[in-house]
Amino acid sequence: MDELNPFKISQAQLDAAAEIMNLDKTVHMILREPMRTVEMKIPVKMRDNSTELFTGFRVLYNNARGPGKGGIRFHPQENIDTVKALSAWMTWKTALANLPLGGAKGGVICDTKKMDEHEIENLSRGYIRSFGNLLGPKTDIPAPDVYTTPQIMAWMDDEYSKIAGNNEFGMITGKPLELWGSEGRFDSTALGGMYVLRDLAKKAGIDLKNAKIAIQGFGNAGNFAFSLVKKMFGSKIVAISDSKGGVYNPDGLDYAGLQKAKQQSGTVSDYEGAEKISNEQLIESDADIIIPAALENQITQANADKVKAKIVLELANGPVTPEADKILFERGIYGAPDFLVNSGGVIVSYFEWVQNISGYYWTEDDVYAKLDTIMSKSFADVVKTQEEYAAKGKKINMRTAAYIIAVQRVSAAMKARGWY
Ligand code: NAD
């Protein structure tokens, strides 16, 4: 297996769960592939009046339990295998959280750091002109992901509504509040992850107040994780990074200083008063908990045995390869899987969709309380499944337990629909 191909990784994870749960062969065959994969060229007028041709993707992995749901990523290294993998993980994520949704994902190969706002708006609207007929509140509902923002969601919603001839706020989530985004959506991914951390630290016997934490990534997920870890548990954050590198200080880093460095030079690695480290060093840093919150394939066969932390909390999608997963499990490190840890984003996206469809809006307290209920239930379900398998003499990690629950739910819906 190509160790770093995300789609092959997602298939290998499914295969491992299928074997252990003795999954029906036909179901396994259906679940190994996306139901719909679309690639389109998007012509975009640039600032200098030239036209650039971008490549975009939208994959609907499985909609047995409801409309497709999943973000759109704008990234220079975007590719179809990443989108397929992310759409599979969305399917398992919505099923594990027991939401009435399926899984999907989209992306565009582009470098937004080299584009101005006007060009990004044109690309966002172009994406909807190309893919809009595949999207909708009852078919497939996008959201933000890496390098896409609430503003981009607002442009996409506006373009979709213009084509539809009426406002369609439920066709996309992660919108700004002015366009009926949900209260609490902005930090929901990180907050959901904190609920998992709270429950997992208790199980692992780790006192979060005295824990040292390293976070990889300082975007939506990493940035909010930083402030929430401090606010909720009082832990010390000793390392942080972004795409340009990171910093480490065993006495802790302060949020205001990181924000200042990011604003002044565009990277947290210019934070004053800490040792500069690479993203690779961050993974091996002296911390009790590491929170990957950037991209895929950060912990691999090559560095899994160098991880010093007791918990790896996967706030990013796909940061740990299957080979690394095995090594971490054998070493007794608690690996909290991505589609449990970062499901807060899609759960509050689901709340946003429900509010848009019903036209009745909730308070931030309502959103947070409902999010905690679902996250705590998902965590308890995963632990219960691990215990049930342990009683049968099969020791499984949290990821496999989460897969078993999700796959059972998707299979049951496919069975009821008569797909096999
Ligand atoms: P973002 O665009 O807001 O931030 C991405 C961060 O990753 C930035 O700090 C960037 O500098 C850093 N980064 C980029 N390349 C890197 C590299 N090679 N090494 C280290 N850092 C790098 O994106 P986000 O929304 O925070 O998403 C981060 C992860 O969380 C992704 O895996 C995404 O799929 C996942 N996720 C996000 C959400 C959400 O609601 N935003 C929900 C679920 C999962």
Side-chain angles (χ1 to χ4, degrees), residues 128-393:
I128 293 299
R129 284 195 296 276
S130 295
F131 290 91
N133 63 348
L134 304 174
L135 307 173
K138 291 184 186 158
T139 47
D140 183 355
I141 309 142
D145 197 78
V146 174
Y147 299 148
T148 52
T149 59
Q151 177 60 72
I152 290 174
M153 300 303 110
W155 289 323
M156 289 185 168
D157 183 56
D158 182 65
E159 193 67 21
Y160 187 92
S161 296
K162 276 183 189 155
I163 295 168
N166 56 282
N167 282 329
E168 272 292 9
F169 297 119
M171 65 77 46
I172 201 161
T173 60
K175 300 180 294 295
L177 286 174
E178 298 77 13
L179 279 186
W180 308 108
S182 179
E183 293 287 351
R185 173 64 180 87
F186 63 103
D187 64 351
S188 54
T189 301
L191 181 60
M194 294 306 113
Y195 293 143
V196 174
L197 181 59
R198 172 196 66 195
D199 296 350
L200 184 57
K202 203 164 156 198
K203 183 171 147 61
I206 292 175
D207 170 17
L208 285 174
K209 196 167 185 311
N210 292 311
K212 288 182 286 176
I213 302 190
I215 303 176
Q216 185 188 52
F218 198 59
N220 177 291
N223 194 317
F224 285 116
F226 190 107
S227 31
L228 286 170
V229 156
K230 286 208 151 179
K231 191 169 121 196
M232 291 171 67
F233 313 122
S235 329
K236 195 183 280 178
I237 294 152
V238 294
I240 188 102
S241 66
D242 57 31
S243 61
K244 300 202 176 75
V247 281
Y248 171 80
N249 185 339
D251 297 328
L253 304 166
D254 95 276
Y255 188 73
L258 290 167
Q259 286 285 35
K260 194 172 146 213
K262 190 89 190 165
Q263 269 157 19
Q264 281 178 352
S265 65
T267 170
V268 291
S269 61
D270 284 339
Y271 173 93
E272 282 166 23
E275 180 195 336
K276 274 192 197 294
I277 54 166
S278 65
N279 267 296
E280 293 73 38
Q281 286 171 310
L282 181 134
I283 297 294
E284 298 162 21
S285 61
D286 193 9
D288 304 299
I289 296 157
I290 19 177
I291 307 183
L295 294 176
E296 308 84 42
N297 298 332
Q298 300 303 305
I299 304 180
T300 66
Q301 209 165 14
N303 62 359
D305 58 349
K306 299 188 188 114
V307 169
K308 297 191 186 73
K310 294 181 201 76
I311 289 180
V312 176
L313 190 82
E314 298 179 13
L315 207 51
N317 281 307
V320 180
T321 65
E323 289 79 4
D325 218 16
K326 267 189 220 135
I327 299 171
L328 296 182
F329 191 51
E330 276 159 16
R331 294 185 55 213
I333 294 168
Y334 289 87
D338 46 8
F339 68 89
L340 166 67
V341 175
N342 67 33
S343 59
V346 74
I347 292 168
V348 178
S349 269
Y350 160 64
F351 295 162
E352 181 174 335
W353 176 70
V354 169
Q355 293 171 79
N356 291 154
I357 291 173
S358 64
Y360 178 73
Y361 288 85
W362 313 348
T363 64
E364 193 176 71
D365 285 349
D366 276 344
V367 168
Y368 290 156
K370 286 183 167 73
L371 174 64
D372 194 358
T373 304
I374 295 182
M375 296 293 312
S376 304
K377 169 84 169 62
S378 297
F379 181 84
D381 286 348
V382 168
V383 172
K384 190 166 158 247
T385 302
Q386 276 187 300
E387 287 165 1
E388 282 167 5
Y389 273 79
K392 289 189 251 173

Side-chain angles (χ1 to χ4, degrees), residues 20-21 96 377-392 394-406 408-409:
I20 213 141
M21 67 195 286
L96 178 65
K377 169 84 169 62
S378 297
F379 181 84
D381 286 348
V382 168
V383 172
K384 190 166 158 247
T385 302
Q386 276 187 300
E387 287 165 1
E388 282 167 5
Y389 273 79
K392 289 189 251 173
K394 292 180 181 176
K395 221 173 148 239
I396 58 172
N397 65 9
M398 289 184 80
R399 186 185 323 277
T400 303
Y403 260 98
I404 290 171
I405 297 164
Q408 271 166 352
R409 287 181 182 159

